[in-house]
C-alpha cells in the first residue's frame, strides 16, 4: 500500500487532521489543569498505604453483593415453585409436571445459555484455576465474557433446588478469579504501572479465599481452604491479601443480610442452638474415629465412581455424542431422571426431597435427638414445609428415621455422581458437605439409640448430641473428598459452634488419612479426566523418584542459536520449532549456554532484515547478528543432568516453571519441560 504523498491531496488531509487535533478548542484549560492536579494529589495520598488494599476491598465487596443478590433470586423463585406445587392440590399428573419441568427448563437454559457464550463456563472451574496457578496460560477461563455466562447459568442451576443437588462454592471461586483478573487490569491502568505477572498471581490467590468466604461467611476457613485446594506451594506474603479480601467479602455478605432484615445482627449462616456445657463425653471419641473411617471409605468409593463415570460418559457413543453436539438435551434427560426420582409422592418422600439445599443443612444440624421426637410426631409430614419443624420431613409412617437417612445416602450417592457430569455451571462442595452431614446424623442417631440415657461420668449422665456427629460428618466427608483439613474449621464458622472442634478435627484427620492414600482429590481427579496440563504429584511411597535423574528423561534435541548467528540461522530455528524462547550459546563450536531470547524478539529481528531472495528495492538490508540486535536474557536457573526427578518436580511446582535447560559444566545438553516431567512421573507410577 502506497504512503500518502506530502504534497498530494491525501497528504493535505492528514496534515489538516493533525492541525485540527492539535488546535482543537478545549474550554477552561486552567480549571482542567487544577482538577487534574487535584486528582493526582488524591491518588498519591490514597495510594500512599498501597493500592492493593482498595482493589482487594472492591473484590470482596463485589463478590459478596453478587452472592447475596443471587441467593435472594434463588430463594424467591424456589419459593414460587414450591407454592405452585402446593396449590395444584391432589392432581398427581399436574404435580409431577410442575415438579419435573421446572428444574428441567432451568437447567436446560443454564446449559444452553452458558455454552453458547463460552464453552469454558461449565463445571466448577476450580480444576482449570488450579492449572492456571501452576503457571499454565489458560486465558479463556478468565475472560470477562465467561463471567456473565457463569453468573446467569449458575443462578438458573441453583434455582432448580435440591432436585439436581448442586451448589455454588466452586463457581464462586472461579467468578472471584475472573473478577480479580479484570481488577488487575484496571489496577495497571489506574497506577500506570506495567503489567506484572506476580501481581496478577497475588490477586488470583486472594480471589480463591473470597469465593469460599462469600458463600459460607467464613473468612478464616475460606483462606485455609483455598490454600489447601488451590496451591501446591503458598507464599506467605500473599496471606494477608487473601485474609483481608475474604474478611471484606464475608463481612459484606453478612451485613447485607442485616440490611435485608433477615437477621438482627451479623451471625453464622447456619446458626445452631447448641448451648450445652458438656458437648461430648471422652468415650465418644471412639465413635468419632469410627465416623472418620466411614467417611474415608465412602470418600474413596465416591471419588473412584465419580472419576469412572466421567470417563465412561465421555467415551460412551450416545452420551459422548450428546455432550459433543447437544449438551442441553443431555442435561434435560439427566435432570428429568433425577427429578422423577425425587418426586415427593414417590421415592422423594423417603429422601426429604421437599427441602432446599440450605434447609437440608439446617435440619441435619438440629440440636434435638430425632429418635426421641418421633413418638410424639404425627404419622405423616405436614403438607407445608414448616421452618421450625424441618426434621419432620425425615419422618415417614412406613420407615424409621434410620431408614430414611440410609435411603437418602444410598440414592444420593449415585445421583450426586450423575449430577457431576452435567455440562452446566455448578459447584460440588455443598452437596458433599450435606451428604457428610447426613452420614454423621445417621451415626449420631445410632449412638443415641445405643445409649438412650447417655454416658456415665463422675458428675452423672450426659446425653448423646447427634448434631455433633452431623458436624463431624460434614467436615470429614467433604474434607476427605477434597483432601483438606480446613473443613473442620469451616463447619465451626458456618454454625458458630466450637464445642465439638476437637472430635471434628479428629474425624477429618482419620478420613483424610484413608482417602489421600488411595484416591486423588475430587479436583485432581477431574484434572486427570479432562487431561489438563497439570503436573501429577509424586506419592511418598515412590522413593525411586530420588534415583531417577534428569538425564534419563530430558529432551536432548534442543533448537539452540549461536550468539553470532545471523538471518539464516534464526530463520531455520523458527521453522524447526515453535518454542516461546530459545537458548543462546556462545558459538556453534562452543555450546556454552549464554542466555535465552524470546520468539517475539527473533521475529522482530527477521522483520528488520532483508530476505536474500526478496526483490530488490523492497527493503534495505541491514547487517547485524543475533547478539547485536536482540536482548539476551541471562539464565537464572538451570538443571544438572544428575538432578533427581523429585528435585525437578519440586522446582517446577514451587516456581511455576514451564521449561528448564540442562547443562553439564556450563554446556547445553538438553531441556526439561512439563511434558517430559509428566511422562517420567507416569512411568514411575505405572512401571512396565
Amino acid at each position: 500500500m502506497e504512503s500518502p504523498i506530502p504534497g498530494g491531496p491525501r497528504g493535505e488531509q492528514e496534515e489538516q487532521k493533525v492541525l485540527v487535533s492539535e488546535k482543537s478548542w478545549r474550554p477552561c484549560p486552567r480549571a482542567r489543569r487544577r482538577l487534574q492536579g487535584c486528582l493526582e494529589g488524591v491518588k498519591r495520598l490514597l495510594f500512599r498505604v498501597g493500592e492493593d488494599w482498595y482493589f482487594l476491598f472492591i473484590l470482596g465487596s463485589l463478590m459478596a453483593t453478587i452472592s447475596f443478590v443471587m441467593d435472594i433470586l434463588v430463594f424467591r423463585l424456589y419459593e414460587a415453585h414450591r407454592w405452585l406445587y402446593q396449590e395444584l392440590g391432589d392432581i398427581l399428573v399436574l404435580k409431577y409436571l410442575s415438579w419435573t419441568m421446572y428444574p428441567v427448563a432451568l437447567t436446560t437454559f443454564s446449559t444452553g445459555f452458558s455454552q453458547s457464550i463460552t464453552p469454558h463456563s461449565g463445571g466448577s472451574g476450580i480444576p482449570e484455576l488450579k492449572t492456571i496457578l501452576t503457571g499454565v496460560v489458560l486465558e479463556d477461563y478468565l475472560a470477562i465474557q465467561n463471567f456473565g455466562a457463569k453468573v446467569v447459568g449458575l443462578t438458573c442451576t441453583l434455582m432448580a433446588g435440591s432436585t439436581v443437588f448442586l451448589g455454588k462454592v466452586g463457581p464462586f471461586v472461579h467468578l472471584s478469579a475472573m473478577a480479580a483478573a479484570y481488577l488487575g487490569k484496571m489496577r495497571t491502568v489506574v497506577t500506570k504501572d506495567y503489567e506484572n505477572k506476580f501481581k496478577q498471581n497475588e490477586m488470583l490467590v486472594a480471589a480463591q479465599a473470597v469465593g469460599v468466604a462469600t458463600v459460607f461467611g467464613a473468612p478464616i476457613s475460606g483462606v485455609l481452604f483455598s490454600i489447601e485446594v488451590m496451591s501446591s506451594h503458598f507464599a506467605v506474603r500473599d496471606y494477608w491479601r487473601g485474609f483481608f479480601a475474604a474478611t471484606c467479602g464475608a463481612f459484606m455478605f453478612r451485613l447485607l443480610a442485616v440490611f435485608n432484615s433477615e437477621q438482627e445482627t451479623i451471625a453464622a449462616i447456619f446458626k445452631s442452638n447448641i448451648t450445652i456445657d458438656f458437648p461430648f463425653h471422652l468415650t465418644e471419641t471412639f465413635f468419632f474415629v469410627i465416623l472418620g473411617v466411614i467417611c474415608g471409605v465412602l470418600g474413596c468409593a465416591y471419588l473412584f465412581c465419580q472419576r469412572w463415570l466421567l470417563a465412561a460418559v465421555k467415551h460412551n457413543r450416545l452420551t459422548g455424542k450428546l455432550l459433543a453436539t447437544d449438551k442441553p438435551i443431555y442435561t434435560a434427560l439427566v435432570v428429568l431422571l433425577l427429578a422423577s426420582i425425587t418426586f415427593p409422592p414417590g421415592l422423594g418422600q423417603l429422601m426429604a426431597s421437599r427441602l432446599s439445599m440450605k434447609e437440608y443443612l439446617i435440619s441435619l444440624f438440629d440440636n434435638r435427638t430425632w429418635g426421641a421426637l418421633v413418638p410424639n410426631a404425627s404419622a405423616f409430614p405436614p403438607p407445608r414445609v414448616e421452618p421450625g419443624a424441618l426434621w419432620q420431613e425425615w419422618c415417614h409412617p412406613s420407615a424409621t428415621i434410620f431408614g430414611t437417612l440410609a435411603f437418602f445416602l444410598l440414592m444420593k450417592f449415585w445421583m450426586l455422581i450423575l449430577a457431576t457430569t452435567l455440562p452446566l455451571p455448578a459447584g460440588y462442595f455443598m452437596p458433599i458437605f450435606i451428604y457428610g452431614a447426613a452420614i454423621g446424623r445417621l451415626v449420631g442417631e445410632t449412638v443415641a439409640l445405643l445409649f438412650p440415657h447417655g454416658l456415665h461420668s463422675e458428675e452423672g449422665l450426659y446425653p448423646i448430641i447427634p448434631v455433633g456427629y452431623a458436624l463431624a460428618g460434614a467436615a470429614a466427608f467433604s474434607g476427605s473428598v477434597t483432601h483438606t483439613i480446613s473443613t473442620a474449621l469451616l463447619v465451626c464458622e458456618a454454625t458458630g459452634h466450637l464445642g465439638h472442634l476437637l472430635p471434628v478435627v479428629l474425624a477429618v484427620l482419620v478420613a483424610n488419612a484413608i482417602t489421600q492414600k488411595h484416591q486423588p482429590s475430587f479436583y485432581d481427579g477431574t484434572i486427570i479426566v479432562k487431561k489438563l496440563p497439570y503436573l501429577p504429584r509424586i506419592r511418598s511411597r515412590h522413593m525411586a523418584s530420588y534415583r531417577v535423574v534428569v538425564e534419563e528423561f530430558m529432551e536432548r534435541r534442543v533448537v539452540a542459536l549461536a550468539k553470532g548467528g545471523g538471518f539464516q540461522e534464526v530463520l531455520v530455528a523458527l521453522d524447526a520449532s515453535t518454542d516461546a524462547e530459545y537458548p543462546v550459546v556462545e558459538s556453534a563450536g562452543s555450546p556454552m549456554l549464554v542466555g535465552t531470547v524470546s520468539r517475539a524478539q527473533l521475529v522482530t529481528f527477521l522483520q528488520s532484515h532483508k530476505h536474500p531472495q526478496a526483490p530488490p528495492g523492497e527493503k534495505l538490508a541491514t547487517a547485524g547478528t543475533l547478539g547485536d540486535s536482540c536482548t539476551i536474557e541471562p539464565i537464572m536457573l538451570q538443571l544438572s543432568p544428575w538432578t533427581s526427578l523429585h528435585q525437578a518436580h519440586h522446582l517446577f511446582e514451587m516456581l511455576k516453571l514451564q521449561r528448564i535447560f540442562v547443562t553439564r559444566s556450563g554446556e547445553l545438553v538438553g531441556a526439561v519441560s512439563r511434558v517430559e516431567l509428566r511422562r517420567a512421573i507416569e512411568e514411575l507410577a505405572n512401571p512396565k
Side-chain angles (χ1 to χ4, degrees), residues 561 565-575 601-603 605-606 626 630:
L561 290 168
F567 176 89
Q568 193 64 35
E569 289 79 4
V570 173
L571 185 62
V572 171
L574 290 180
D575 290 338
Q601 290 192 41
L602 295 179
V603 172
F605 174 75
L606 292 181
L626 179 66
C630 296

Side-chain angles (χ1 to χ4, degrees), residues 62-202:
L62 174 64
M63 296 311 301
T65 305
I66 294 175
S67 178
F68 185 77
V69 173
M70 186 180 294
D71 285 348
I72 291 179
L73 291 176
V74 170
F75 174 76
R76 297 287 173 81
L77 289 181
Y78 188 79
E79 287 297 314
H81 178 222
R82 182 181 287 175
W83 172 84
L84 176 63
Y85 175 81
Q86 293 171 351
E87 290 297 320
L88 291 175
D90 298 330
I91 307 175
L92 200 60
V93 176
L94 294 180
K95 292 175 75 71
Y96 173 78
L97 291 176
S98 68
W99 181 265
T100 56
M101 291 299 103
Y102 183 82
V104 168
L106 285 172
T107 53
T108 303
F109 174 79
S110 173
T111 303
F113 178 81
S114 59
Q115 293 292 331
S116 64
I117 301 298
T118 170
H120 308 296
S121 59
S124 68
I126 288 183
E128 292 80 9
L129 190 57
K130 286 189 67 173
T131 306
I132 292 173
L133 289 174
T134 61
V136 179
V137 179
L138 299 175
E139 295 181 354
D140 294 335
Y141 285 95
L142 297 180
I144 194 63
Q145 63 267 23
N146 199 1
F147 187 90
K150 197 134 194 170
V151 168
V152 176
L154 178 62
T155 304
C156 294
T157 301
L158 297 177
M159 287 176 185
S162 59
T163 302
V164 293
F165 210 61
L166 295 172
K168 68 172 186 175
V169 175
F172 252 79
V173 174
H174 190 194
L175 289 171
S176 299
M178 287 185 279
Y182 189 74
L183 287 175
K185 294 179 180 179
M186 291 181 57
R187 176 187 173 279
T188 58
V189 174
V190 173
T191 60
K192 298 180 181 179
D193 195 4
Y194 65 93
E195 194 169 352
N196 192 341
K197 292 184 178 180
F198 293 102
K199 283 291 184 181
Q200 293 176 355
N201 188 72
E202 290 171 355

Side-chain angles (χ1 to χ4, degrees), residues 174-504:
H174 190 194
L175 289 171
S176 299
M178 287 185 279
Y182 189 74
L183 287 175
K185 294 179 180 179
M186 291 181 57
R187 176 187 173 279
T188 58
V189 174
V190 173
T191 60
K192 298 180 181 179
D193 195 4
Y194 65 93
E195 194 169 352
N196 192 341
K197 292 184 178 180
F198 293 102
K199 283 291 184 181
Q200 293 176 355
N201 188 72
E202 290 171 355
M203 290 292 288
L204 291 180
V205 170
Q208 304 165 18
V210 172
V212 181
T214 52
V215 174
F216 287 99
I220 301 175
S221 54
V223 174
L224 298 179
F225 182 83
S226 65
I227 294 174
E228 289 183 293
V229 171
M230 308 299 297
S231 306
S232 58
H233 294 80
F234 185 78
V236 180
R237 66 176 182 273
D238 297 332
Y239 179 76
W240 73 267
R241 293 181 175 86
F243 197 87
F244 177 75
T247 303
C248 293
F251 182 80
M252 181 64 69
F253 183 72
R254 304 313 304 146
L255 191 64
L256 291 173
V258 177
F259 290 160
N260 199 42
S261 301
E262 294 181 10
Q263 294 180 350
E264 294 181 359
T265 185
I266 296 178
I269 189 170
F270 302 110
K271 182 66 177 176
S272 62
N273 54 355
I274 307 176
T275 58
I276 52 178
D277 298 328
F278 198 86
F280 65 96
H281 195 276
L282 184 61
T283 309
E284 292 184 71
T285 306
F286 172 76
F287 298 111
F288 281 102
V289 172
I290 296 298
L291 175 60
V293 173
I294 295 173
C295 290
V297 173
L298 288 177
C300 289
Y302 172 83
L303 291 171
F304 174 80
C305 295
Q306 192 267 342
R307 195 170 65 254
W308 173 84
L309 186 62
L310 277 180
V313 168
K314 184 178 180 180
H315 294 97
N316 182 268
R317 179 179 299 179
L318 176 60
T319 56
K321 183 179 180 181
L322 289 176
L323 287 174
T325 58
D326 299 303
K327 290 184 176 67
I329 296 178
Y330 175 82
T331 300
L333 293 176
V334 172
V335 175
L336 179 61
L337 173 63
L338 298 177
S340 300
I341 294 174
T342 58
F343 184 48
L347 295 177
Q349 60 187 325
L350 300 175
M351 297 186 289
S353 60
R354 296 194 302 174
L355 297 179
S356 65
M357 299 291 285
K358 185 176 182 178
E359 289 171 343
Y360 266 125
L361 275 183
I362 294 175
S363 64
L364 293 171
F365 290 159
D366 192 349
N367 188 37
R368 296 167 291 185
T369 303
W370 292 353
L373 296 176
V374 169
N376 300 324
S378 59
F380 292 92
R384 296 176 180 272
V385 179
E386 300 296 337
L390 296 179
W391 70 273
Q392 294 187 18
E393 293 293 319
W394 298 92
C395 297
H396 194 269
S398 61
T400 63
I401 287 292
F402 306 96
T404 55
L405 284 171
F407 188 76
F408 172 85
L409 294 175
L410 178 64
M411 297 298 291
K412 286 296 183 181
F413 184 84
W414 67 267
M415 293 171 66
L416 174 56
I417 293 176
L418 181 60
T420 58
T421 64
L422 295 174
L424 44 72
Y428 311 117
F429 181 81
M430 181 66 83
I432 61 177
F433 194 76
I434 297 174
Y435 192 87
I439 297 174
R441 190 79 201 193
L442 179 59
V443 174
E445 293 290 340
T446 304
V447 176
L449 180 66
L450 295 176
F451 302 95
H453 302 294
L455 295 173
H456 292 276
S457 181
E458 296 180 357
E459 300 180 1
L461 290 173
Y462 290 95
I464 303 296
I465 310 299
V467 66
Y469 293 86
L471 294 174
F477 186 74
S478 59
S480 66
V481 171
T482 57
H483 288 188
T484 56
I485 309 296
S486 57
T487 52
L489 182 59
L490 179 62
V491 296
C492 297
E493 281 192 284
T495 59
H497 175 65
L498 296 174
H500 286 83
L501 179 59
L502 290 179
V504 167

Side-chain angles (χ1 to χ4, degrees), residues 535-607:
L535 283 180
R537 292 185 178 180
I538 301 178
R539 303 211 173 184
S540 57
R541 65 173 180 266
H542 291 305
M543 299 303 294
S545 62
Y546 291 94
R547 295 192 292 270
V548 178
V549 295
V550 167
E551 191 176 21
E552 299 178 19
F553 59 87
M554 69 180 183
E555 176 64 33
R556 300 179 184 275
R557 297 181 179 179
V558 181
V559 178
L561 290 168
K563 188 176 180 181
F567 176 89
Q568 193 64 35
E569 289 79 4
V570 173
L571 185 62
V572 171
L574 290 180
D575 290 338
S577 71
T578 58
D579 297 333
E581 62 177 7
Y582 294 81
V584 180
V585 296
E586 189 65 36
S587 63
S590 175
M592 189 69 64
L593 185 62
V594 177
T596 61
V597 62
S598 65
R599 185 180 183 87
Q601 290 192 41
L602 295 179
V603 172
T604 304
F605 174 75
L606 292 181
Q607 292 174 348

